[in-house]
Amino acid sequence: MAEIALTGVNKLYGGHGKAAQVLVAQGLDKAAILERTGCTVALRDIDLVLPSDAISVIMGLSGSGKSTLLRCLIRLIDPSSGAIRFDGEDITRLGLPALRAFRRTHVAMVFQNFALLPHRTVLQNAAFGLALHGVKRGDAEARAAAWLAKLGLGGYERAYPDALSGGMRQRVGLARALACDPDVLLMDEAFSALDPLIRDELQAQLLDLQAELGKTIVFVTHDIREALRLGAHIVVMRDGRVEQAGPPATLLSAPSSDYVARFVAQAAASAR
Ligand SMILES: Nc1ncnc2c1ncn2[C@@H]1O[C@H](COP(=O)(O)OP(=O)(O)OP(=O)(O)O)[C@@H](O)[C@H]1O
C-alpha cells in the first residue's frame, strides 16, 4: 500500500518568499522570479499521483527539482505550500513527533553515496535502521543477515564497507532499507555512482525485488534509459514543473512536448 498524492506543491528557497509566491501565481518563470525576489523556485504547482506498489521514477536534468521533490515527500524539506497525502493522510499537517513516527514506520531511503558507517561491519550497517527502530540487537542482526543473504552478500557480514565494491556497498544500503520493511522506499540517484555493468545488475535486482515485495518505490535519476527500464510510472521534471507524467509506453508513443520527445530519442539513440 501507500499511494502518494501531491496537490499544489510549491517549494521556494531563500529570498522574499511572499513576493515570489505572488509572481509564481502570476506565472512568471524561474529566472525572472530569482532576479526580482532572490527566490529560487525549486518546485511549482506539482499535482501528481505516485501509484502504490509500483516503481515511480522522477527524471530530469540537474536543477530540475528531483531531489527537492523526493525530500519533500517525507518533509526532509518542507514544501512552501501544498498537500502531500500518503493513502489519504496529509503529512504536511503532522507535528514533528507524528512526522517522525510516520517516517519510522512507513519509509526508508537509499542514497547515491551509500551512507554506510565506515567503522561498523556490513552486518551492523544492515541492522542499523532496525536498531534505530528499537529492535533488539540479536533480532535486528538476524533480520539484517537474512536480507544480506538475499542480496548476495552472505559471507560478508563481518567485513567493513571499505573492503566492498560500490555495487556491494549499495546492496548493503538496500538491505538496511528493506530490513525495516517500509511501505515506501525512496531512492535518490541510488545507482548513479556505479559502473554501467554493476548498475545494470542492480537495476535487474531492484525489478525482481519489486515484483516479489510489491513496495511503493520512488526512484530519482537523471538517466532516461534507467527511468524507462525501472519505471512503471515516470515523472519528467523541468525547471521545477512536471513536464509529463505517465507510464513509459505513453512517454514513448505520445510525448507531451518536444522536450520529452528529445529525451526519449536520446534513450533510443544510446540503446543502438
Ligand atoms: N538549499 C537550497 N537553497 C537554495 N536553492 C536550492 C537549494 N537546494 C536546491 N536549490 C535549487 O533548487 C532547484 C532544484 O534543485 P534540486 O537539487 O532539487 O534539483 P535536482 O534535479 O535534484 O538536481 P541535481 O540532479 O543536480 O541534484 C535548483 O535550482 C537548485 O539550485
Side-chain angles (χ1 to χ4, degrees), residues 75 163 226:
R75 290 180 51 201
E226 186 164 65

Side-chain angles (χ1 to χ4, degrees), residues 13-14 30 40-42 60-69 77 188-189 220 222:
Y13 287 111
K30 184 173 169 173
T40 298
V41 184
L61 298 178
S62 184
S64 59
K66 308 179 295 294
S67 296
T68 301
L69 179 58
I77 294 172
D188 192 1
E189 299 271 11
V220 161
H222 59 271

Side-chain angles (χ1 to χ4, degrees), residues 225 228 264-272:
R225 285 187 64 192
L228 290 169
V264 171
Q266 178 199 331
S270 61
R272 271 184 223 126

Side-chain angles (χ1 to χ4, degrees), residues 8-261:
V9 170
N10 290 286
K11 176 63 192 177
L12 310 174
Y13 287 111
H16 300 289
K18 287 224 168 85
Q21 290 272 16
V22 173
L23 299 180
V24 167
Q26 289 174 0
L28 261 74
D29 71 18
K30 184 173 169 173
I33 295 173
L34 180 64
E35 194 185 314
R36 291 203 200 171
T37 65
C39 244
T40 298
V41 184
L43 298 175
R44 69 193 289 165
D45 303 329
I46 306 283
D47 292 321
L48 261 185
V49 176
L50 305 176
S52 69
D53 311 341
I55 303 181
S56 293
V57 176
I58 316 283
M59 212 277 313
L61 298 178
S62 184
S64 59
K66 308 179 295 294
S67 296
T68 301
L69 179 58
L70 192 77
R71 282 168 171 68
C72 278
L73 292 182
I74 53 167
R75 290 180 51 201
L76 290 175
I77 294 172
D78 265 318
S80 306
S81 55
I84 298 170
R85 294 188 176 85
F86 282 70
D87 286 338
E89 182 184 15
D90 185 355
I91 63 147
T92 64
R93 293 172 179 273
L94 298 180
L96 201 51
L99 177 64
R100 288 198 177 125
F102 164 81
R103 288 186 192 137
R104 211 170 36 241
T105 19
H106 294 289
V107 187
M109 221 165 157
V110 180
F111 302 92
Q112 178 174 4
N113 62 3
F114 322 128
L116 301 181
L117 300 163
H119 303 300
R120 303 214 182 174
T121 64
V122 162
L123 183 62
Q124 289 166 340
N125 269 286
F128 189 70
L130 289 169
L132 289 181
H133 290 202
V135 177
K136 286 205 180 102
R137 191 167 138 194
D139 201 8
E141 293 195 350
R143 280 158 68 179
W147 277 104
L148 288 170
K150 192 172 176 64
L151 288 161
L153 288 172
Y156 287 92
E157 293 84 355
R158 287 159 180 263
Y160 285 85
D162 66 1
L164 305 185
S165 68
M168 292 161 89
R169 284 184 212 183
Q170 195 52 298
R171 287 194 166 94
V172 179
L174 256 178
R176 177 182 55 196
L178 289 169
C180 297
D181 194 23
D183 305 327
V184 178
L185 198 56
L186 303 181
M187 304 182 70
D188 192 1
E189 299 271 11
F191 302 154
S192 300
L194 305 175
D195 293 338
L197 282 179
I198 306 294
R199 186 172 183 168
D200 204 63
E201 272 175 35
L202 274 160
Q203 289 168 351
Q205 194 156 29
L206 186 67
L207 287 167
D208 288 346
L209 284 167
Q210 164 60 26
E212 183 186 336
L213 305 169
K215 301 282 181 198
T216 301
I217 298 177
V218 186
F219 190 104
V220 161
T221 182
H222 59 271
D223 180 344
I224 179 72
R225 285 187 64 192
E226 186 164 65
L228 290 169
R229 179 164 189 205
L230 292 179
H233 186 78
I234 299 177
V235 179
V236 180
M237 301 287 298
R238 181 186 191 185
D239 285 342
R241 291 179 190 272
V242 174
E243 184 78 9
Q244 185 169 8
T250 306
L251 264 64
L252 290 165
S253 63
S256 65
S257 62
D258 286 350
Y259 188 78
V260 177

